[in-house]
Structures are given as structure tokens and as C-alpha cells.
Amino acid sequence: MQVSFQTQNCCFLADFNLSMPAQEICKHLPLDSKISTWGDEIYFETGIAAPAEGATMEVDVGDIAYWPEGKCICVFFGPTPVSQSGKPVPASPVVIIGKAMAKPDEFRRIQTGHPVRVMTVEEKPVLVSYSMSCEPERKLTQSEIDKLVQQLLAERSKRPPAAQ
């Protein structure tokens, strides 16, 4: 399943695997939280109690994991305070639930306290990220705009009336 992570200055896509924790988290999307950082790792509380089977201390750059101890989603993009090399190391065992489709520098723009929203992606959006790279901008076609509007309206219709 593909999901979108959105903060005030970064948006990236991720592919979630079919593990039980990933499926449990996806049942609760959209999810809003506040970012915390720990070295080159962002994490945030979900309030979701998901299974911890397959928990590991072995993670790679770009891995997205569920941290059962804190009921958090973690995104690893470089060394953490307990790393002995350039490879990330979690604080305690995590369950890998997906892989981020963004470069480490994009994650470094996300800061503690930033709000984050995680939601499912019905179909691949046209724009993968809001990076401030030097790539030339292009105008969206009308059909791309229509697809984005349909996706936003579908997401809005899933929210309870008080949240709209």
C-alpha cells in the first residue's frame, strides 16, 4: 500500500509492506501527529497498538518502522545517537513496515514539533515531493488536476463531520 507523509515543508511517499503492523496502521489512516527527532530519525506517536512480531535492531536508510515500545512510526535516514557507523540504529527493536521514497536531505528539513499527516494514496500523485530542488517546474494538465481534486474530495468525505 502506498502512503503519503505530509509536513509543513516536506511531502514524501512510502510503500508499506503487508506486515500486520503496517496493515493495522493503515486501518487508522489518516493519522495526525507531531514530529520528534533523534539524530537522523524522525518519529511520531500513533496511539496504535500493533503486533511486534519480527521486531529487529537492523534498519537501513529509508526504512519506515513501527516502534512498539512508543507506539510510534519511525523514519530512518541516517545515523542515530547510538549508531557506531553511518548506518541508523533504533533505540530498541522496531518492525519494518515500509520504505520511504525520498532522499535523506529532504528529511533533514523536518523539525521537532512540526505537524505530520499520514494518509493512504488512492493512486500515485503527479508530484512525488515538495522538495526545493532546482528541477524545473511544470504545469499540471487538466486531467492531473482533476485526479488530485478527486483524491482530496475522497479523503475529505472519509473524515467525520466535526473534522471537516
Side-chain angles (χ1 to χ4, degrees):
M1 170 171 285
Q2 195 169 67
V3 297
S4 170
F5 288 71
Q6 299 173 6
T7 69
Q8 65 190 41
N9 60 357
C10 184
C11 177
F12 64 94
L13 296 176
D15 283 323
F16 273 19
N17 58 35
L18 298 176
S19 67
M20 291 301 289
Q23 290 179 37
E24 187 62 30
I25 289 167
C26 286
K27 287 181 195 174
H28 292 86
L29 297 181
L31 170 72
D32 293 301
S33 193
K34 294 271 186 205
I35 294 286
S36 293
T37 58
W38 191 59
D40 280 352
E41 172 192 339
I42 60 170
Y43 67 98
F44 51 91
E45 292 182 28
T46 65
I48 300 167
E53 292 106 32
T56 182
M57 291 293 289
E58 292 292 319
V59 298
D60 291 313
V61 170
D63 281 348
I64 298 175
Y66 172 72
W67 182 39
E69 190 174 310
K71 296 181 183 174
C72 294
I73 291 176
C74 309
V75 181
F76 297 95
F77 57 94
T80 60
V82 295
S83 295
Q84 299 294 315
S85 65
K87 186 175 176 174
V89 176
S92 59
V94 296
V95 180
I96 306 298
I97 60 170
K99 195 76 166 175
M101 294 185 273
K103 296 178 181 162
D105 286 340
E106 291 184 57
F107 297 113
R108 290 187 180 97
R109 296 193 333 240
I110 302 171
Q111 298 175 9
T112 296
H114 281 184
V116 61
R117 173 169 259 221
V118 183
M119 60 186 181
T120 58
V121 177
E122 310 292 317
E123 52 187 88
K124 288 190 177 186
V126 177
L127 302 174
V128 173
S129 101
Y130 295 107
S131 75
M132 301 183 94
S133 65
C134 296
E135 296 176 13
E137 292 185 17
R138 69 172 183 87
K139 294 188 182 231
L140 297 175
T141 66
Q142 187 60 49
S143 67
E144 292 169 332
I145 293 169
D146 292 343
K147 284 180 186 177
L148 288 171
V149 168
Q150 288 173 354
Q151 185 176 351
L152 289 170
L153 290 173
E155 183 61 38
R156 184 175 183 193
S157 69
K158 291 179 185 177
R159 288 190 224 148
Q164 294 180 9

